[in-house]
Amino acid sequence: MQLSSIDCSGSMSGNRIRLARLAVLKALKLLGPEDSAALTTFSHNGNTIRPLTQVDEAGSMALRNGLQHTMPDGATNLFEGWELAAKALSTIATASRVSFCCRTVAPTEV
């Protein structure tokens, strides 16, 4: 299972949002049709782009399409993004693999 919560605040414009999308896409490629994934974003509000979705052909396409529509805007409300991801996680009884991808840190921020 993969839970991805992407920072879509204004500071993620340009290459930062592109790299965050790329990281999630690469992680999705590691999943098989028996896996599931959820995608949330956060800026001034949290947003569930895709709830927990089986990563079969249709689910993978829906996750990728949702990811393409993530645009940077607003302030950073990290708590709400993580809260939505935690709610997605709470919908399952057990998971053998869980990965959580949050924010791409640009070299200028390090």
Side-chain angles (χ1 to χ4, degrees), residues 21-90:
R21 288 185 195 126
L22 185 60
V24 173
L25 285 173
K26 287 187 179 247
L28 282 173
K29 287 181 181 180
L30 299 175
L31 301 178
E34 71 284 354
D35 293 314
S36 54
L39 176 61
T40 66
T41 62
F42 59 93
S43 56
H44 53 279
N45 292 315
N47 188 24
T48 299
I49 303 298
R50 287 297 305 172
L52 203 54
T53 303
Q54 187 173 353
V55 189
D56 54 16
E57 190 173 329
S60 181
M61 181 173 284
L63 286 157
R64 288 192 315 264
N65 287 341
L67 186 62
Q68 288 179 350
H69 293 93
T70 56
M71 302 300 286
D73 180 39
T76 305
N77 186 349
L78 176 64
F79 175 79
E80 200 165 319
W82 281 57
E83 183 178 41
L84 287 172
K87 285 180 182 176
L89 182 60
S90 72

